[in-house]
Amino acid sequence: MSPVMKKHAMPEQDPKVRAKNFNEVTLGYGEDTALAEAQRCLHCKTAPCRQGCPVEVNIPEFIQHIKDGQMDEAIKSLKSYNSLPAVCGRVCPQEEQCEKHCVLAKKGESVGIGRLERYAADYAREHGETVTAPQRAANAQKVAVIGAGPAGLTAAGDLAKLGYAVTIFEALHAPGGVLMYGIPEFRLPKAIVQQEISNLKKLGVVIEVNAIIGRTYTIDELLDEEGFEAVFIGTGAGLPHFLQIPGENLNGVYSANEFLTRCNLMKAYQFPKAATPIKVGHKVAVVGGGNVAMDAARTALRLGAEESYIVYRRSETEMPARLEEVHHAKEEGVQFRLLTNPLEVVGKDSWVTGLRCMKMELGEPDASGRRRPVEIAGSEFTLDVDVVIMAIGQGPNPLIQSTTKGLDTNKRGNIIADEETGQTSRPGIFAGGDIVTGAATVILAMGAGKKSAAAIDKYLQEKRQ
């Protein structure tokens, strides 16, 4: 029988309804749909889909278990590679990773690998998943993990499974990193993130929140005085970039980091029930074209903005956001001002009143391979807005680098580490994720955490000998 060439549709909230609430947009497959989607898998001998997975999930194996109705085995297979499958099933860019390599994608649509991963993880959570802590020696070697985001959580989980005594130090009051402060509730419910973290705690991982490494402890204090024998740094990229244009100091200008943190982690949308207020404005311009920009623009609508704009200097073809997120943003009413470059935030009495922009056209490709935007002379105009959100990327927080002697960094301030092991210029100190590569995806950070965990295990085994 010929395979079904089209992926089964994902049920979603109605766009007009969901644009006014923070409930999850996509609703997940039911049992019948998941089984039908699993049956599309060809179970290729070479499993090319695995080539695109940074944590090397055995994709044909877990899908076969779903097909056979062996859900306990499906989640067991997934968890042996990936500590956060419910997260990855929701926010991984599968179309650029595992699904890109699916054989079915050559003539039709790939298997919905991410949707099946989410289905298996949700099934396990809803049916009382049991987590058994591995045996650990009383004198197990101690490993410190700095940062409770995707890289740190993955490294901690893998090291705990290997029998190490792992403590995560998290600067914020809740673990999860960008999963908690950066990605909105409507894309990734926080209860699901905390459930995955709860499972890590059951493996024996200790999490110390409100612990700012570089202030609460330095890395050298962790190694020399607190008994840790290795350290993994996974602090991500939390320092927002700005355009350095006039008017960015006006009231009503946010970084996307601040705007989303106030809403996601501090629950500003529940003010005054939650203590953190947020000014949303009537008309909001979000500068940028990535997933963070889509998140900010969609969040602004949900918080009550009458109009929400994406202002992006290239065309939609060059936009780095996932197609799904762009599609959802359009459905919900976000307006796109493409080939538009901000020149100045204008204001009155210290408050934003508009964003002066210039129209652009595309020229030759630049170093990124994308066509370079070129200004169109005389095309300046002012967009009438009262809030501007900058979503043009983040860099590394410099605190750890500045308080740890001998830790090499590059010109952007990222820690220099071996790509395959995470080994830094200091023995016993490893690093991975956005603090090394710059802002990337959740799954790439997890892959780096996984590689570093294996390297730390090798380092500590050699240290014991």
Side-chain angles (χ1 to χ4, degrees):
M1 186 172 66
S2 300
V4 177
M5 299 310 294
K6 194 167 182 181
K7 194 183 296 185
H8 288 80
M10 172 67 92
E12 298 175 351
Q13 279 197 74
D14 181 275
K16 292 181 181 175
V17 175
R18 72 182 191 235
K20 302 297 180 186
N21 69 54
F22 279 84
N23 299 330
E24 194 167 14
V25 167
T26 54
L27 304 177
Y29 280 164
E31 181 180 350
D32 291 345
T33 309
L35 179 60
E37 187 63 25
Q39 287 173 339
R40 294 184 63 229
C41 180
L42 299 177
H43 295 280
C44 313
K45 287 184 179 177
T46 55
C49 49
R50 295 192 71 183
Q51 298 171 17
C53 178
V55 296
E56 300 177 348
V57 165
N58 191 335
I59 293 165
E61 181 180 81
F62 97 79
I63 290 180
Q64 182 65 53
H65 287 310
I66 292 176
K67 192 186 292 186
D68 295 339
Q70 299 169 335
M71 295 308 301
D72 288 345
E73 294 302 315
I75 195 64
K76 184 178 175 183
S77 173
L78 270 170
K79 283 287 183 77
S80 63
Y81 297 92
N82 182 354
S83 298
L84 309 171
V87 170
C88 290
R90 286 171 164 81
V91 302
C92 267
Q94 292 102 3
E95 66 277 10
E96 294 296 327
Q97 295 175 329
C98 53
E99 294 181 11
K100 183 178 181 180
H101 299 271
C102 177
V103 170
L104 281 180
K106 294 179 179 176
K107 293 187 177 179
E109 291 185 357
S110 67
V111 173
I113 297 168
R115 296 173 183 182
L116 291 173
E117 181 178 30
R118 167 180 169 163
Y119 171 75
D122 287 355
Y123 181 97
R125 187 181 64 258
E126 293 162 2
H127 289 77
E129 177 184 10
T130 57
V131 179
T132 305
Q135 287 192 335
R136 192 172 76 196
N139 61 345
Q141 290 168 290
K142 293 172 62 178
V143 181
V145 172
I146 305 171
L153 293 172
T154 299
D158 280 15
L159 288 164
K161 290 173 188 172
L162 291 168
Y164 293 102
V166 183
T167 300
I168 299 178
F169 296 93
E170 166 58 42
L172 298 175
H173 65 271
V178 69
L179 306 176
M180 288 296 288
Y181 72 73
I183 303 177
E185 179 82 9
F186 56 82
R187 277 216 294 138
L188 180 61
K190 304 311 161 208
I192 286 174
V193 178
Q194 291 305 312
Q195 177 66 40
E196 302 255 52
I197 292 172
S198 172
N199 287 341
L200 287 179
K201 291 179 179 177
K202 290 175 184 174
L203 292 175
V205 174
V206 174
I207 301 179
E208 187 174 329
V209 296
N210 300 314
I212 303 174
I213 301 305
R215 290 288 181 269
T216 311
Y217 306 97
T218 65
I219 284 185
D220 286 301
E221 286 172 340
L222 291 175
L223 291 168
D224 299 338
E225 300 174 17
E226 299 298 322
F228 292 96
E229 298 192 44
V231 173
F232 173 74
I233 305 170
T235 47
L239 196 65
H241 292 162
F242 285 86
L243 285 171
Q244 307 302 323
I245 59 175
E248 284 185 299
N249 60 340
L250 288 168
N251 293 320
V253 177
Y254 292 94
S255 69
N257 226 22
E258 179 189 355
F259 186 77
L260 292 172
T261 299
R262 279 174 176 265
C263 187
N264 298 333
L265 186 64
M266 311 301 285
K267 299 193 182 302
Y269 61 89
Q270 294 180 345
F271 183 81
K273 182 180 176 183
T276 303
I278 190 168
K279 173 181 168 55
V280 181
H282 299 288
K283 297 182 179 181
V284 179
V286 180
V287 180
N291 289 328
V292 174
M294 301 304 140
D295 286 343
R298 297 168 70 191
T299 295
L301 279 181
R302 284 164 169 78
L303 289 170
E306 295 159 10
E307 295 182 22
S308 181
Y309 302 100
I310 288 287
V311 177
Y312 182 57
R313 63 184 186 145
R314 302 178 198 258
S315 77
E316 187 170 331
T317 303
E318 292 80 29
M319 199 172 265
R322 293 183 69 190
L323 292 176
E324 179 179 284
E325 305 309 332
V326 174
H327 173 68
H328 283 158
K330 287 182 176 178
E331 279 190 330
E332 292 165 12
V334 173
Q335 301 176 53
F336 285 63
R337 295 287 184 268
L338 303 174
L339 291 167
T340 300
N341 193 39
L343 301 174
E344 178 185 5
V345 183
V346 295
K348 182 179 180 183
D349 299 330
S350 300
W351 289 89
V352 172
T353 59
L355 185 65
R356 193 165 70 86
C357 303
M358 176 171 271
K359 297 297 294 180
M360 312 293 282
E361 59 186 357
L362 293 179
E364 295 300 313
D366 60 15
S368 72
R370 297 177 297 174
R371 293 181 66 189
R372 184 191 305 275
V374 179
E375 294 181 348
I376 300 175
S379 64
E380 294 93 338
F381 70 99
T382 298
L383 191 62
D384 178 23
V385 294
D386 50 1
V387 164
V388 174
I389 301 171
M390 297 296 178
I392 56 171
Q394 300 93 236
N397 186 309
L399 181 58
I400 286 178
Q401 298 89 315
S402 65
T403 56
T404 310
K405 290 182 179 177
L407 195 61
D408 289 348
T409 58
N410 62 23
K411 63 182 180 182
R412 294 183 296 275
N414 296 104
I415 296 173
I416 297 173
D418 184 274
E419 189 175 337
E420 293 301 316
T421 65
Q423 176 64 61
T424 70
S425 53
R426 284 275 305 269
I429 301 178
F430 299 77
D434 292 1
I435 189 65
V436 172
T437 61
T441 64
V442 168
I443 192 68
L444 285 173
M446 291 175 64
K450 198 169 189 66
K451 287 178 179 176
S452 287
I456 290 171
D457 178 41
K458 184 171 182 287
Y459 167 78
L460 292 177
Q461 285 191 46
E462 292 172 352
K463 194 175 179 183
R464 286 199 294 269
Q465 293 173 356

